[in-house]
Amino acid sequence: MKKTFFLYSLLLLCFYGCSDKKEKPIRHRLIYNNDGTFALGNFMFGRRPLSVEDAKAYVDVVANKQVTTYMICSGSDYPYYRSRFGRVLGDDLNGTLNCGNDTAGYRDFYSYYRNHLNLEKEGTDIIQTILRRAKEKKMEAFISFRMNDLHFCDTTSRCPVEYTDFWLAHPQYWLNEDIGWKSRGALDFAFQEVREQKLNMINEQLDKYGELLDGYDLDFMRFFVYFKSTEAEKNAPLMTELVKAVRAKVDELSAKRGKKILLSARVAPDLDFCLKKGLNVTEWVQKGLLDFITIGVHYTGNPALPVARFRTGLGNPSIPVYATIESGGYNSRIPYSHGMYRGMASHIFAQGGEGIYLFNY
């Protein structure tokens, strides 16, 4: 009897412990995007000085709630970590960056850096802490990179803490065209130096956090301006080459880790509009550069995103297509009702979307 029990136990152990442990790829996702400043500023806890435990709580709040994938924004041109290519958000370089009479603005920006220093003393940073916690909570862990963040290019401000070093040092790379919010200060991707700066930051993040990553997301919707309007479509091959270079780096990381690392992109829900902005999304998919794609609009929501039309335009791709429900509200911070959330989600799935991307919550 004891021998029978022992053999039965061994069979059970082999069934659960000796079987092929390859995980089945996720196709249907509920993605939660944290914009990074929300956590680094510790808004959930009244902006008190950030601790490691506080940082973990930004993951815990959505854990075990059907979220499959946690994305943490990396700060784009203003990184939330020590970088060779940019200054940590709010770093005043030991008080040498003077904001004059704008003491409130200075204190606000410096609070992010103070919180970074708190985590740094514990041997971590906000991205590492959140990625690791997401893994502990059995979620996919992604970095989301804002491809052209315009939050910190307001040319009317006179507080240098608010500007990134690369942007401030290279006004010759500014777009200088009014085609949307702060677009005059947007970086112009027609310049090779701009594309190299972005690729350097992306590669640095993949090297730095690669052991914790399940994927990397290129967020082209933050913000949707890359070239002068008369030059955008003809410059689309430049953006394709940039995406191809990121794909190569992701594949290199996959080979190094012996695990598939995913590459995704978030773009506008109209393929012709994307192309007019310099993004040939159809070519990216045809060339196999992406593992999934998300469509969305900027800031406010669209309760009727044309998911089916987008999928058809792409030739009904084999990769999943998801759709964004923004945090911005139905009309500039007019919040959604529960019914609207459910209605938007229902529309996305009815149109052939295979998942939902909650942006900036």
Side-chain angles (χ1 to χ4, degrees):
M1 185 68 178
K2 286 182 179 179
K3 184 176 180 181
T4 303
F5 178 78
F6 173 76
L7 289 173
Y8 179 71
S9 300
L10 187 62
L11 284 171
L12 282 177
L13 282 171
C14 191
F15 179 78
Y16 289 109
C18 305
S19 60
D20 184 0
K21 295 215 172 195
K22 279 190 177 178
E23 297 179 7
K24 187 177 180 181
I26 298 175
R27 189 169 183 93
H28 301 282
R29 287 178 171 86
L30 177 57
I31 300 168
Y32 178 92
N33 175 286
N34 186 319
D35 79 341
T37 54
F38 183 63
L40 190 59
N42 210 9
F43 283 84
M44 196 163 70
F45 294 103
R47 304 207 68 176
R48 72 189 183 195
L50 183 69
S51 67
V52 172
E53 291 307 309
D54 283 352
K56 291 178 181 178
Y58 287 87
V59 177
D60 296 352
V61 72
V62 299
N64 304 313
K65 292 180 172 63
Q66 300 185 57
V67 172
T68 63
T69 309
Y70 197 107
M71 291 187 178
I72 176 68
C73 178
S74 61
S76 191
D77 301 305
Y78 236 144
Y80 305 143
Y81 62 94
R82 296 288 181 186
S83 170
R84 293 184 293 125
F85 304 102
R87 180 164 38 91
V88 177
L89 177 64
D91 183 358
D92 66 347
L93 300 181
N94 295 318
T96 60
L97 298 180
N98 187 354
C99 293
N101 294 326
D102 188 8
T103 55
Y106 168 76
R107 284 196 300 268
D108 178 59
F109 265 77
Y110 188 76
S111 68
Y112 294 105
Y113 185 56
R114 175 205 65 198
N115 288 343
H116 166 79
L117 292 176
N118 289 348
L119 299 187
E120 193 171 60
K121 289 175 185 174
E122 301 297 325
T124 187
D125 58 51
I126 191 66
I127 298 176
Q128 183 184 71
T129 301
I130 282 182
L131 291 175
R132 181 171 289 129
R133 190 63 165 181
K135 300 287 287 180
E136 290 171 356
K137 293 297 181 177
K138 310 302 181 186
M139 289 182 276
E140 288 182 311
F142 274 62
I143 284 176
S144 176
F145 184 78
R146 297 186 177 196
M147 295 298 289
N148 210 7
D149 200 334
L150 306 188
H151 279 105
F152 310 114
C153 63
D154 182 358
T155 55
T156 64
S157 173
R158 294 295 179 267
C159 180
V161 181
E162 297 184 19
Y163 297 141
T164 69
D165 293 339
F166 182 84
W167 181 87
L168 193 60
H170 299 291
Q172 71 272 27
Y173 300 150
W174 300 354
L175 195 68
N176 287 314
E177 183 183 4
D178 288 318
I179 51 176
W181 183 69
K182 295 186 181 181
S183 63
R184 291 192 66 83
L187 290 171
D188 186 346
F189 278 61
F191 292 98
Q192 181 180 347
E193 293 84 354
V194 171
R195 301 193 305 275
E196 286 178 350
Q197 168 73 2
K198 298 291 182 175
L199 185 59
N200 284 338
M201 296 195 78
I202 291 168
N203 286 345
E204 180 181 62
Q205 292 170 22
L206 288 166
D207 286 334
K208 184 176 178 65
Y209 302 107
E211 289 301 314
L212 295 170
L213 285 175
D214 295 300
Y216 199 90
D217 185 57
L218 304 175
D219 185 3
F220 287 94
M221 291 307 298
R222 282 297 192 271
F223 284 73
F224 208 59
V225 53
Y226 296 95
F227 302 103
K228 286 182 170 59
S229 54
T230 57
E231 302 174 1
E233 189 166 348
K234 74 176 184 181
N235 281 331
L238 300 178
M239 298 302 280
T240 298
E241 287 304 308
L242 179 58
V243 176
K244 188 184 295 184
V246 178
R247 174 84 259 177
K249 181 66 177 181
V250 168
D251 288 345
E252 177 188 310
L253 177 60
S254 296
K256 180 180 177 181
R257 289 190 55 193
K259 171 187 173 177
K260 172 73 171 175
I261 309 299
L262 304 177
L263 180 64
S264 60
R266 196 170 78 102
V267 300
D270 185 299
L271 290 168
D272 289 336
F273 183 61
C274 286
L275 186 57
K276 286 177 182 177
K277 288 288 189 175
L279 311 182
N280 193 339
V281 179
T282 303
E283 184 179 24
W284 301 352
V285 172
Q286 289 174 345
K287 289 180 178 293
L289 302 182
L290 301 174
D291 294 296
F292 66 81
I293 195 163
T294 305
I295 61 173
V297 294
H298 175 73
Y299 194 63
T300 54
N302 179 354
L305 281 170
V307 181
R309 186 178 68 196
F310 186 88
R311 285 184 56 85
T312 301
L314 279 179
N316 293 312
S318 59
I319 63 172
V321 174
Y322 307 134
T324 307
I325 298 179
E326 285 263 0
S327 66
Y330 178 61
N331 185 15
S332 190
R333 292 296 176 190
I334 296 176
Y336 303 125
S337 67
H338 285 194
M340 288 191 71
Y341 275 114
R342 295 162 75 93
M344 286 187 286
S346 177
H347 172 81
I348 289 166
F349 288 121
Q351 291 276 307
E354 296 175 88
I356 292 171
Y357 185 122
L358 298 174
F359 180 80
N360 223 22
Y361 283 83

